[in-house]
Amino acid sequence: MKGPKPLSITGPDEMLALGLSVGRHVFEGAVIGLSGPMGAGKTTLVRGLAEGMGIAEGHSVSSPTFTILQNYPCRELTLYHLDLYRIAGREDLDSTGYRDVLDGAGVVIIEWVEREPDAMTPENLLIEMEYEDIGRKVTFFPRGDAYRTLAASAIDEYLVLH
């Protein structure tokens, strides 16, 4: 069985554009996990995703490493941005109130999801980022039909535009 084909991303502008494509196709209740080393482009992808969702004027995405959870009003949905880098375990995660946003009318994106994989819902989109010679290798792992459609649509749009 063939696995997903990774995308080669050569700079921050391309990572933003990929996020923009994801944001244009995301749906209410979506849960997206981002996995990868420090500096791989996770927050840059979230910035693009927020732009694709129509982030409200006057708001900008920043890494929630110290606040753990931030939310951004967008055109139709709220974007909940969670960073698990400083989370020490399940109990620590539960104290953030993140479970309340999983059932809400928004989109949840979780950076450093590899630190607590149980933070994801059973159906989700995992996006893994790795360093490669020039740039990053980005691979989408959708779980569930809606996420397969999201991933395919976002990747197709990105490839057409770049």
Side-chain angles (χ1 to χ4, degrees):
M1 184 170 146
K2 241 165 71 171
K5 183 178 183 211
L7 298 168
S8 287
I9 305 294
T10 59
D13 289 343
E14 287 185 17
M15 191 66 80
L16 278 169
L18 180 59
L20 184 67
S21 293
V22 173
R24 287 183 180 141
H25 296 279
V26 79
F27 52 87
E28 183 175 355
V31 177
I32 301 170
L34 303 179
S35 175
M38 186 80 65
K42 294 180 289 294
T43 302
T44 301
L45 187 130
V46 176
R47 284 187 186 110
L49 188 142
E51 186 178 328
M53 288 178 63
I55 191 169
E57 191 172 321
H59 292 270
S60 61
V61 171
S62 61
S63 177
T65 299
F66 294 100
T67 57
I68 311 297
L69 177 64
Q70 294 186 82
N71 63 61
Y72 304 102
C74 295
R75 194 172 20 256
E76 296 175 19
L77 302 168
T78 299
L79 173 61
Y80 297 96
H81 185 194
L82 182 66
D83 187 317
L84 303 184
Y85 185 75
R86 295 170 36 95
I87 295 294
R90 184 77 159 156
E91 189 174 299
D92 201 13
L93 177 62
D94 288 341
S95 73
T96 67
Y98 91 100
R99 290 191 185 285
D100 296 334
V101 302
L102 284 176
D103 296 328
V107 172
V108 178
I109 191 155
I110 306 169
E111 290 191 42
W112 294 98
V113 72
E114 66 271 24
R115 292 185 173 264
E116 188 56 62
D118 290 338
M120 300 278 275
T121 54
E123 291 193 0
N124 62 67
L125 175 60
L126 173 63
I127 302 174
E128 289 185 356
M129 302 173 183
E130 302 173 66
Y131 290 107
E132 62 178 4
D133 293 340
I134 300 176
R136 309 291 186 266
K137 179 171 73 170
V138 178
T139 310
F140 285 58
F141 296 93
R143 294 181 185 102
D145 290 340
Y147 291 94
R148 282 189 279 283
T149 300
L150 167 61
S153 298
I155 291 169
D156 287 348
E157 177 181 298
Y158 171 78
L159 292 173
V160 166
L161 298 175
H162 292 88

